[in-house]
Amino acid sequence: MIFRFSAIAVAVVLLAGCQSTVENTDPAEPVPVPYMTPPVSQEGALEQREPDLCGARNYVSVLGQPSSVIPTLGVSGPISVVEWRGIEPQEYNPKRVVFRLDQLGNIFNIDCG
């Protein structure tokens, strides 16, 4: 028990010595912050996606129905049917209608991708 306390005390002292300090000699210059992560760019794929370029809202009426109704919908563009816990295509196609199925094979989500 004494050894464990001593090891923790040594670790705290060693870590306290690692703390960096930054002196600011010029008050007009901002103090650099150590260990600061770079800002995140807001120009990723999610921001470039159109809300409903594939027309997914036209097929909302089939939510909850079995996947067998998908061929009867007459979707003119590309489609993707993703089974429960299935593998989705990794490339984004804003004109592709994606039908996601639940455990029972019913449509639970429709969107573009």
Side-chain angles (χ1 to χ4, degrees):
M1 185 68 158
I2 294 173
F3 177 75
R4 184 179 298 165
F5 175 74
S6 298
I8 293 173
V10 169
V12 169
V13 170
L14 290 175
L15 288 175
C18 292
Q19 183 178 6
S20 67
T21 58
V22 177
E23 283 189 37
N24 188 2
T25 56
D26 183 10
E29 188 176 319
V31 177
V33 179
Y35 312 110
M36 185 174 162
T37 58
V40 178
S41 171
Q42 297 298 318
E43 297 183 18
L46 292 177
E47 287 79 16
Q48 296 174 359
R49 294 184 177 184
E50 296 293 326
D52 192 21
L53 197 59
C54 68
R57 70 175 166 269
N58 299 331
Y59 309 108
V60 173
S61 61
V62 298
L63 284 172
Q65 295 186 19
S67 62
S68 59
V69 302
I70 296 172
T72 66
L73 296 175
V75 181
S76 60
I79 67 168
S80 176
V81 179
V82 181
E83 295 182 10
W84 176 250
R85 296 188 179 179
I87 298 174
E88 292 195 42
Q90 295 302 305
E91 71 280 349
Y92 177 71
N93 181 352
K95 296 181 180 179
R96 177 175 47 216
V97 181
V98 181
F99 295 92
R100 291 184 182 82
L101 308 180
D102 63 10
Q103 306 94 313
L104 303 174
N106 297 326
I107 302 167
F108 80 90
N109 186 339
I110 305 170
D111 62 2
C112 301

